[in-house]
Amino acid sequence: MTSDGVSSARVPARVDLEPSARTVPLGSPPVDLLRRLRARGAGDPVTHVERVPARVGVPAPWPDWAQPELRAAFARRGVVAPWQHQAEAATLVYGGGHVIVATGTASGKSLAYQLPALATLLADPRATVLYLAPTKALAADQLRAVVGLELEGVRPACYDGDTPRAEREWIRRHSRFVLTNPDMLHHGILPGHAQWSGFLRRLAYVVIDECHTYRGVFGSHVAHVLRRLRRQCARFGAGPVFVLASATSGDPATAAGRLTGLPVTAVTEDTSPRGGVTFALWEPPLLPPDSSAPAVPTQAAGDHDAMTDLVQVRRSALRETADLLADTVAEGVRTLAFVRSRKGAEVVAANARRALDDAVPGLGDRVAAYRGGYLREERRELERALLHGDLLGLASTNALELGVDLVGLDAVLICGYPGTRASLWQQAGRAGRSGQEALAVLVARDDPLDTYLVHHPEAIFGAPVEATVLDPANPYVLAPQLACAAAEAPLTPADLALFGDGTKEAIDQLVEAGALRQRPTGWYWRHRERPEVDLRGEGGAPVCVVEAATGRLLGTVDGSSSHFLLHPGAVYLHQGVSYVVDDLDLADGCALVHVEEPDWSTHARDVTDLSVVSVRSYVDAGPVGMFLGEVDVTSQVVSYQRRRIATGEVIDTRPLDLPIRELRTVAVWFTLSERSMASAGVQTADVPGALHAAEHAAIGLLPLMATCDRWDIGGLSTALHPDTEAPTVFVYDGHPGGAGFAERAYGTASAWLRATRDAIAECGCETGCPSCVQSPKCGNGNNPLSKPDAIRVLDVVLENLPA
């Protein structure tokens, strides 16, 4: 048994670019910049180039209800007239309709909600507006925009965890445009609804910005936080209009309706002007045989992890991105590099600075990292420096993917596929925001999905953008959210419809557990303390990382990752400095570390067991069965390997004694008959390796179909599972109760497994590599694996499974 933990995209025209080493003047078009970047290596790393053509804007007249002073305020900011989609959405919202604006990056979605919200605040001196953003940076950016309009009486203010307590009372009493985030709404505003009664009683609009980020377990929690908000508003006699802004996504009206619980109209036609974008797919080159990648400290999820049995490996995507960032900065090109992890962003920035300083001392100062965990003042200063040209290069996590207003960028580098096409286009759209030509480059990691995408560009450029997946009926989300609602005000029968399917059953379970008491007037919260509910679904309280010698807090790691990243003996990286973990105290949520720079890295290994609880749906396809249902997953980190950084050589394996973790979730799984595999040429001894390899690749390719990445899901394969009594491959959601990903896999099983089979078959390696069947998160050290037999197994499945 092996385990591991309807808006269509524009189809641009193909551009054939041959590498050229000729010198081109500074500031030349991105096509020439790409030629120079391609020409600097021995081979051509670009597998495909797309040309996203420029677009002319379609203006519209100001709505009649927009006051002259409001039009003048926008005119001072350079907005002479709205674009057609902005005017359409704003008029629907002002008329009382719930609306989602789902258009591209830099299409001016903010005007679509600012216009009706501010017009209402000017017309009604008692009205209020609540703005919700997924990040503090985005809320702060919107605050600057609203303040900059200089409208009398609006009194906008940010209310979040960084707001000084002395200011909070003033905001509650006087601000009419409050900008916050779902976490603060959940932890601060709704529990204190009595103090917020004046604001909520007059609430006219709720703005939900970048709502495509509310997916999976987090999105399901936010859906109920919004229902709790609607409930409190109704108690005070208010019925606010909801207006949502989203990146281009599939079926935005349905997703917005699921998020808010209300009927929502979608505005999806983007009528804003857009500069052209040259978009390149870039595959790092293979390193020479018996060579190894330069030693780069990396704990970035999913980045290259050299295996001892590989003859050739690809250059690290982090190193490749750092070199590209250095090259573009050296040419005076203002560039933003997106990296998937905080540590990866630090590594890319550090290596780019080092390369630039080697070429021109002091030039490295023009590059910096940007990520969560910095102080607010540091983040604002970095944004200012990039906008004003003091910085030419920034390596960032997806903290800058959202609508923070960055203009004047010439190029965007994307280190590894960000998990969804929606995020990919959102990140690429950060370049060219002033209407100029721009360059976007996707640098592939050594990963099945990335490798597949750079060789199948139609999966990016010709495919519709994904729909946002969330499930408010998830009982592991619904029950604790009902407990929060009951703590705010007793639940009544009228609330059953508000919170949706499964509410009565969840309330009955809370009563049986002693959390609620039923009385004739409703269900009452029984405890003095409020329920503790984690919106982000990160698996427990964060663990603090503390330097033992000084007591200095270095940072935090979410509880679900602590067993893997902070076990005794683990190497932990922070701002380019290596630490080794001395002790992990899970009860106190603290890991003690000391500074050390060993020449080895650590890799935790776990064992997983899975049992089937129930089957929701299945397809009987003769020798193949496809199932969707609930499962119980138990896992335990049992050991870790120490590997040489330079070569990947395994030094030793050391045992660990950490607690077992239990997870009830949703899984998709398929079974095969032993006879069908034998007929396909899979020998009995090779069945475990065949299933294990197919499982790895299937996990890697699922993000092609669902709004997840491989770190949101887990898997298990076995030659004979006791519950199915057959060879079986499971893929499950890594969140309690499920996050909707397994359901999506089940619904698209044929397309998902076809892409998986093609990714394995088309990979150039002989026995399997990180680009096809090896996984960076494998708990069994990627053993056993059989690439050719995985193809045979998937052929059997695809031959029998209905399309």
Side-chain angles (χ1 to χ4, degrees), residues 683-710:
Q683 302 299 315
T684 302
D686 296 327
V687 169
L691 299 176
H692 192 198
E695 172 216 329
H696 278 184
I699 290 173
L701 269 293
L702 182 54
L704 200 62
M705 307 295 163
T707 50
C708 66
D709 62 36
R710 72 184 306 154

Side-chain angles (χ1 to χ4, degrees), residues 48 160 214 256 266 294 302 309 386 420 427 445 467 784:
H48 185 81
D160 56 33
Y214 302 128
D309 58 345
L386 185 64
T420 65
Q427 292 180 4
R445 293 167 300 151

Side-chain angles (χ1 to χ4, degrees), residues 628-629 666-668 702 706 713 731-733 739-747:
L628 176 71
V666 179
V668 58
L702 182 54
I713 48 184
V731 175
Y732 58 84
D733 293 353
F741 308 138
E743 285 95 333
R744 180 66 176 165
Y746 182 77

Side-chain angles (χ1 to χ4, degrees), residues 123-483:
D124 180 358
R126 291 178 54 78
T128 60
V129 173
L130 181 67
Y131 169 94
L132 299 175
T135 66
K136 294 178 182 178
L138 181 52
D141 185 72
Q142 283 294 305
L143 176 63
R144 286 195 296 270
V146 176
V147 169
L149 293 173
E150 300 178 343
L151 294 170
E152 186 176 353
V154 174
R155 299 189 294 274
C158 270
Y159 189 87
D160 56 33
D162 294 334
T163 305
R165 295 204 171 272
E167 296 180 15
R168 296 188 180 191
E169 178 63 23
W170 184 93
I171 294 172
R172 284 193 294 265
R173 295 174 66 90
H174 300 292
S175 177
R176 300 178 60 216
F177 197 126
V178 173
L179 302 99
T180 186
N181 52 65
D183 306 85
M184 197 64 179
L185 179 60
H186 165 64
H187 289 293
I189 295 176
L190 290 176
H193 57 83
Q195 297 172 298
W196 285 88
S197 60
F199 181 89
L200 295 175
R201 185 175 289 111
R202 306 190 304 272
L203 189 60
Y205 296 102
V206 177
V207 178
I208 306 172
D209 207 354
E210 304 290 2
C211 66
H212 62 281
T213 61
Y214 302 128
R215 63 177 180 85
V217 169
F218 180 41
S220 302
H221 273 294
V222 172
H224 286 297
V225 172
L226 296 177
R227 285 159 175 78
R228 287 162 49 202
L229 173 63
R230 290 173 52 205
R231 179 172 178 254
Q232 290 300 328
C233 289
R235 291 180 69 236
F236 293 122
V241 171
F242 281 74
V243 52
L244 305 93
S246 169
T248 304
S249 63
D251 200 4
T254 299
R258 192 175 294 123
L259 184 65
T260 61
L262 295 164
V264 179
T265 300
V267 174
T268 59
E269 184 178 358
D270 191 340
T271 58
S272 64
R274 172 77 209 186
V277 178
T278 299
F279 202 135
L281 304 183
W282 188 290
E283 186 175 40
L286 286 168
L287 295 169
D290 301 321
S291 180
S292 58
V296 184
T298 173
Q299 283 178 305
D303 203 274
H304 168 65
D305 179 9
M307 304 297 172
T308 57
D309 58 345
L310 285 180
V311 177
Q312 282 188 295
V313 295
R314 291 201 177 274
R315 197 163 188 260
S316 163
L318 288 180
R319 175 68 76 173
E320 196 81 350
T321 303
D323 285 355
L324 287 172
L325 181 59
D327 288 343
T328 56
V329 168
E331 297 216 14
V333 175
R334 198 171 301 180
T335 306
L336 180 60
F338 282 106
V339 190
R340 289 167 59 91
S341 73
R342 294 181 178 186
K343 298 178 183 67
E346 295 278 4
V347 168
V348 167
N351 284 323
R353 284 194 297 264
R354 188 178 303 115
L356 288 166
D357 282 335
D358 288 345
V360 180
L363 188 56
D365 294 339
R366 307 291 298 277
V367 174
Y370 182 104
R371 62 172 178 80
Y374 289 163
L375 298 177
R376 174 192 281 191
E377 294 76 15
E378 293 176 306
R379 293 196 301 268
R380 298 295 88 79
E381 174 57 26
L382 287 169
E383 293 163 14
R384 186 209 63 77
L386 185 64
L387 286 171
H388 289 81
D390 300 332
L391 283 176
L392 281 177
L394 204 60
S396 171
T397 60
N398 63 0
L400 286 181
E401 174 184 321
L402 304 180
V404 178
D405 189 17
L406 295 175
V407 296
L409 296 178
D410 304 305
V412 164
L413 308 173
I414 303 169
C415 182
Y417 184 62
T420 65
R421 285 180 289 272
S423 288
L424 182 73
W425 285 110
Q426 189 83 344
Q427 292 180 4
R430 293 317 232 159
R433 286 172 68 92
S434 290
Q436 76 272 27
E437 293 284 321
L439 173 67
V441 180
L442 171 62
V443 181
R445 293 167 300 151
D446 212 357
D447 170 273
L449 180 57
D450 285 37
T451 303
Y452 179 87
L453 290 174
V454 296
H455 291 284
H456 292 80
E458 70 279 2
I460 295 176
F461 302 107
V465 178
E466 307 89 348
T468 303
V469 177
L470 65 146
D471 180 17
N474 180 340
Y476 289 83
V477 173
L478 178 57
Q481 285 292 334
L482 288 170

Side-chain angles (χ1 to χ4, degrees), residues 1 36 46 85 89 94 108 168 282 304 312 320 365 417 453 491 493 503 522 542 553 562 573 684 749:
M1 184 179 293
R36 299 197 300 280
V46 174
H85 71 277
Y94 195 76
R168 296 188 180 191
W282 188 290
H304 168 65
Q312 282 188 295
E320 196 81 350
D365 294 339
Y417 184 62
L453 290 174
L491 293 166
T503 299
L553 176 64
S562 60
L573 299 175
T684 302

